[in-house]
Amino acid sequence: ACALMNAEHERLRMLTGEVIRHAKCFEDKFRAICISFTLLLWSSKLPEAMQQISLTLSSLGEELPVAVAQSAIHYQLDHTKALLAGLSDETLLNYPAMSISSKIMAMELFSKQLINYTFTGDCNAMPIIPLKMVQTSLTYGMSPLSGVGFALFGNYLALVKGEVEEGYRYVKIALSLMKRMPSIALDCEIMYYSAHTRLRVEPIQSANEHYIVAHRGAMTSGAVRFAFACSFVYDNNSFWAGKKLDLVVNSMKETMKQMIFYKNLVLLALLRPICRLSLRLTGQSDVHQRDDLTNIFGETYKEGEGISSKLPLVMLTECFAKFSEGLIFREVDKARDSIQQYLSIQSLTTANMSISGRELDDGVLITRGTECKDWIEKLVVSASTWNFQN
């Protein structure tokens, strides 16, 4: 944990390797295995991370489907609701504790695989994770990670299925489970996921502060990956919520500085497009794009190189930022080209940025007539359904 917090990645890789090789049992090496998955993610080696997690889950007697059909999701959702039917909040909060070690470890791997699905844009598979986590908790008992499962389940109901009141109920249950079964290492994860639905229910300016609270908890516990996730979402929300741009820019610059230090190049690639737009709005020059970034495995390349082209979520984020920039500065050609690129990427993946029609500027549509309007209408239609992450 100290090596991870201090960004001593070479030492961390050596230590995790030693533990994995010499540990007497699987439980002893499990923490080192999980850290190795995190290092793969930060270096955008998602196929390797996903494969290793799947293999580890198989060794624990758990399987995640390779391809998920909507019929399977509907079946699992109905099954989960049937298990929850008739269970009061108090019953769930006083549920027996999970005692089978293989199930406790599987819950953590489910959570990690969800993050990989997010970046690869596999939104069809993402709902399976919270459904599996809730089902496992109801079958084998509650663990500290059960709060994560219920928070994700609440997000799915509120933000994907449109069942806001019911989803918000499970988010509150997740936060109550966190208090009943506190875990310094996992509380920030529950707070992070719970904040997604709270943004839908509560005013965004106040709900956004939940990410700051989660960030502090993450840094205190050494959960650096969720500290970055909180900073990234907070900075993005601050921009769209109308926070003073100079404060937003300063926060983004500090976040990017930390991401470079810890070599989290995936989130760095995600944050850069909106930071670039923020800088232009304040009349500042763009952040210098470095060509000497080194990932955790010692591979050197230019900033953004090899990441944007790999991860659909990063590509869609870049397109959306350019699209917004084109609308704001009346650069209709840029907005139109960004829409074309967005739709092209989206046709190859299940990822979706869920762009709201409110963010489209009618004044720009008029300047270019029906051609630009048609492209923007296509974007609105494509974003009419929520993806799981949002």
Side-chain angles (χ1 to χ4, degrees), residues 179-192:
K179 296 176 182 178
R180 289 289 185 97
M181 307 179 71
S183 169
I184 295 176
L186 298 174
D187 287 356
C188 61
E189 191 171 348
I190 298 172
M191 288 188 287
Y192 168 76

Side-chain angles (χ1 to χ4, degrees), residues 226-254:
F226 276 99
F228 288 144
C230 291
S231 295
F232 167 74
V233 176
Y234 177 81
D235 288 341
N236 268 278
N237 290 344
S238 296
F239 176 85
W240 296 111
K243 189 174 180 177
K244 293 184 67 173
L245 274 176
D246 56 342
L247 298 178
V248 175
V249 168
N250 290 338
S251 179
M252 286 183 177
K253 286 182 176 179
E254 181 60 30

